[in-house]
């Protein structure tokens, strides 16, 4: 039997190259070797200030984006169509200590972000407890592996601890303790400010949408910051980012060629940028075409995703029913 892989993504921001190389591309590759489940976690998207009019369109948009990137529709679920996640979250909350949650570094980062970047300084307690919802997302399907970035390592450790504590409390090896699946992913930085991670929230010129038109991609790479004016023996962050993009987008050969010119001191930035653009456009062309096709077929795809969510939901319902029995919750139909 194939091992189970589960990962989730928040329907916030755009699908830019950082998210693509950091997660989605890898998810697509894992589908051959594992039984995969990928969630669009809209409950999680409510933990930061958000616009309730935009959340539904953003949820569908990301669903189409994932399919265009090669994720099989039957592997995708939308979290709010499976409310059992929220119910398991409550039960797991009772098995998570306040101390554990207060050690989560992402809460500190994100609450600071709310205070500095949004119009409000309201920090919801959901932002504080969201790692427990993440544990519920994983444990409800008894996932073996969770492909995540290093920023999620602490949350995954918490999921393992919660699973083990649950098992210990009820005296039975019920939950599978999930393991992180770290894969080598390129660190994609903003092309306009290569000292910062590529992110949609930094603004237009800082990120490249996977589905952007070729002209747009070329223009943005042409404008990429290379030298920061500080001389040093090390490769500058901007140039290093261009090299990473070249390698990640399948340009192994031009990568080696350019690296040789860098080493012998004859690297031309213009040439490097041209090769990066070519590689990116080659890679994204078929994705953009697929995305445009899907746009014409929205209704049918939505129906497929609702169905896949319903199928996936039955597994979640099964787990929740067992969990309620195990923890002593009344669970009968009147
Ligand atoms: N917390 C993750 C993030 O912010 C998203 C997420 C939610 C997740 N539930 C998950 C990731 C379960 C892996 C498994 O990116």
């Amino acid at each position: 039997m194939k091992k189970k892989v589960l990962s989730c993504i928040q329907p916030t921001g755009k699908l830019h190259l950082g998210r693509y190389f950091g997660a989605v591309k890898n998810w697509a590759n894992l589908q051959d070797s594992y039984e995969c489940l990928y969630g669009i976690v809209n409950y999680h998207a409510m933990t930061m200030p958000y616009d309730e009019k935009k959340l539904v369109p953003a949820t569908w948009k990301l669903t189409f984006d994932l399919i265009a990137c090669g994720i099989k529709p039957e592997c995708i679920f939308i979290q709010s169509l499976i409310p059992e996640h929220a119910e398991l979250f409550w039960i797991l909350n009772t098995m998570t200590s306040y101390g554990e949650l207060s050690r989560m570094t992402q809460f500190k980062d994100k609450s600071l972000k709310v205070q500095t970047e949004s119009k409000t300084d309201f920090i919801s307690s959901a932002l504080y407890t969201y790692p427990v919802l993440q544990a519920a997302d994983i444990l409800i399907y008894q996932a073996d592996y969770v492909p995540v970035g290093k920023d999620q390592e602490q949350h995954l450790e918490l999921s393992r601890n919660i699973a083990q504590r649950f098992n210990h409390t009820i005296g039975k090896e019920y939950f599978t303790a999930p393991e992180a699946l770290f894969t080598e992913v390129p660190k994609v930085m903003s092309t306009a400010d290569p000292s910062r991670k590529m992110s949609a929230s930094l603004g237009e010129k800082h990120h490249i949408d996977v589905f952007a038109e070729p002209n747009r991609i070329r223009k943005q790479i042409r404008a990429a910051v290379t030298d920061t004016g500080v001389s040093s023996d090390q490769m500058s962050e901007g140039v290093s980012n261009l090299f990473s993009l070249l390698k990640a987008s399948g340009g192994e050969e031009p990568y080696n060629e350019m690296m040789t010119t860098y080493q012998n001191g004859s690297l031309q930035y213009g040439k490097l940028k041209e090769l990066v653009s070519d590689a990116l456009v080659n890679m994204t062309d078929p994705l953009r075409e697929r995305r445009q096709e899907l746009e014409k077929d929205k209704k049918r795809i939505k129906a497929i995703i609702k169905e896949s969510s319903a199928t996936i939901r039955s597994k979640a319902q099964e787990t929740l029913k067992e969990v309620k029995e195990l923890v002593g919750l009344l669970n009968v139909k009147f």
Side-chain angles (χ1 to χ4, degrees), residues 6-8 10 41 44 130 134 137-138 146 148 152:
L6 174 137
S7 200
C8 300
Q10 296 200 28
V41 286
H44 283 270
Y130 113 137
Q134 179 164 355
D137 297 336
I138 301 167
V146 184
V148 282
Q152 293 294 321

Side-chain angles (χ1 to χ4, degrees), residues 45-65:
M46 299 168 76
T47 57
M48 296 282 275
Y50 75 103
D51 181 345
E52 58 279 3
K53 284 186 232 44
K54 291 189 183 149
L55 190 52
V56 169
T59 302
W60 284 122
K61 184 180 171 299
L62 186 58
T63 307
F64 299 141
D65 289 353

Side-chain angles (χ1 to χ4, degrees), residues 10 43-49 89-90 92-93 96-112 114 122-135 152 154-155 158 162:
Q10 296 200 28
Y43 286 147
H44 283 270
M46 299 168 76
T47 57
M48 296 282 275
F89 159 69
W90 181 257
L92 298 183
N93 249 328
T96 309
S97 74
Y98 179 79
E100 268 176 319
L101 284 182
S102 54
R103 286 193 291 275
M104 297 293 124
T105 56
Q106 206 180 56
F107 172 73
K108 290 166 200 155
D109 298 343
K110 286 200 169 183
S111 44
L112 193 70
V114 172
F122 179 83
I123 314 273
S124 80
S125 62
L127 184 61
Y128 188 69
T129 52
Y130 113 137
V132 187
L133 179 58
Q134 179 164 355
Q152 293 294 321
Q154 210 187 13
H155 291 166
L158 178 73
I162 294 174

Side-chain angles (χ1 to χ4, degrees), residues 14 28 31 41 43 94 102 106 118 122 131 134 140 183 198 219 230 242 254-255 257 263 268 287 297 299 313 318 322:
K14 285 187 199 155
Q31 293 177 122
V41 286
Y43 286 147
T94 68
S102 54
Q106 206 180 56
S118 45
F122 179 83
Q134 179 164 355
I140 206 162
T183 36
M198 184 176 281
K219 199 173 147 207
V230 193
L242 289 171
Y255 173 89
E257 266 168 44
Q263 276 150 0
Q268 291 175 310
L287 304 182
D297 211 9
K299 222 169 141 188
R313 184 180 183 189
E318 196 186 298
E322 288 170 354

Side-chain angles (χ1 to χ4, degrees), residues 29 67 147 153-154 157 178-179 220 233 238-239 244 328:
N29 291 337
I67 298 172
E153 193 172 11
Q154 210 187 13
E157 196 51 42
E179 276 176 46
Q220 208 149 336
D233 296 340
V239 174
S244 304

Side-chain angles (χ1 to χ4, degrees), residues 23-312:
V24 180
K25 187 180 173 208
N26 184 32
W27 289 8
N29 291 337
L30 292 167
Q31 293 177 122
D32 295 330
S33 326
Y34 299 96
E35 187 190 326
C36 295
L37 287 178
Y38 298 121
I40 316 256
V41 286
N42 45 359
Y43 286 147
H44 283 270
M46 299 168 76
T47 57
M48 296 282 275
Y50 75 103
D51 181 345
E52 58 279 3
K53 284 186 232 44
K54 291 189 183 149
L55 190 52
V56 169
T59 302
W60 284 122
K61 184 180 171 299
L62 186 58
T63 307
F64 299 141
D65 289 353
L66 292 185
I67 298 172
C69 292
I71 306 295
K72 294 180 192 153
E74 65 270 26
C75 298
I76 300 178
F77 67 85
I78 293 174
Q79 192 185 30
S80 64
L81 299 181
I82 311 182
E84 286 74 17
H85 286 232
E87 199 174 341
L88 181 61
F89 159 69
W90 181 257
I91 296 170
L92 298 183
N93 249 328
T94 68
M95 301 192 187
T96 309
S97 74
Y98 179 79
E100 268 176 319
L101 284 182
S102 54
R103 286 193 291 275
M104 297 293 124
T105 56
Q106 206 180 56
F107 172 73
K108 290 166 200 155
D109 298 343
K110 286 200 169 183
S111 44
L112 193 70
K113 201 170 156 176
V114 172
Q115 281 165 327
T116 52
E117 288 178 22
S118 45
K119 290 182 208 81
T120 166
D121 56 5
F122 179 83
I123 314 273
S124 80
S125 62
L127 184 61
Y128 188 69
T129 52
Y130 113 137
V132 187
L133 179 58
Q134 179 164 355
D137 297 336
I138 301 167
L139 301 186
I140 206 162
Y141 302 109
Q142 303 280 14
D144 299 290
Y145 299 114
V146 184
V148 282
K150 282 277 171 200
D151 64 321
Q152 293 294 321
E153 193 172 11
Q154 210 187 13
H155 291 166
L156 211 75
E157 196 51 42
L158 178 73
S159 297
R160 291 176 60 79
N161 288 341
I162 294 174
Q164 281 153 357
R165 190 170 303 129
F166 183 96
N167 293 349
H168 184 76
T169 307
I170 59 148
K172 188 175 160 184
E173 283 302 304
Y174 181 75
F175 277 128
T176 307
E179 276 176 46
L181 199 66
F182 296 119
T183 36
E184 190 73 45
V185 291
K187 213 167 146 205
V188 180
M189 312 305 281
S190 150
T191 48
D193 178 358
S195 66
R196 304 169 79 177
K197 232 170 82 172
M198 184 176 281
S199 146
S201 63
L202 289 177
E204 282 298 314
K205 61 180 197 270
H206 290 274
H207 65 274
I208 299 175
D209 195 309
V210 172
F211 307 106
E213 292 293 332
N215 283 343
R216 171 88 221 235
I217 297 180
R218 290 187 188 279
K219 199 173 147 207
Q220 208 149 336
I221 294 296
R222 225 176 292 128
V225 170
T226 45
D227 268 346
T228 38
V230 193
S231 71
S232 127
D233 296 340
Q234 284 202 338
M235 188 184 273
S236 75
E237 286 169 315
V239 174
S240 158
N241 192 34
L242 289 171
F243 268 106
S244 304
L245 286 171
L246 184 56
K247 195 170 193 177
S249 50
E252 188 84 30
E253 222 173 278
Y255 173 89
N256 290 336
E257 266 168 44
M258 285 292 104
M259 209 34 119
T260 309
T261 65
Y262 172 75
Q263 276 150 0
N264 66 27
S266 66
L267 173 69
Q268 291 175 310
Y269 294 149
K271 182 75 190 157
L272 174 63
K273 288 179 172 181
E274 195 185 308
L275 292 173
V276 172
S277 299
D278 289 347
L280 284 176
V281 168
N282 263 337
M283 181 194 81
T284 53
D285 261 347
L287 304 182
R288 194 180 57 258
E289 272 164 34
R290 253 322 308 265
R291 185 65 182 82
Q292 282 161 357
E293 286 301 310
L294 292 170
E295 199 62 26
K296 294 180 210 146
D297 211 9
K298 275 184 169 167
K299 222 169 141 188
R300 195 178 62 89
I301 312 257
K302 284 185 181 179
I304 293 175
I305 294 300
K306 283 179 192 160
E307 214 174 292
S308 66
S309 297
T311 308
I312 294 168

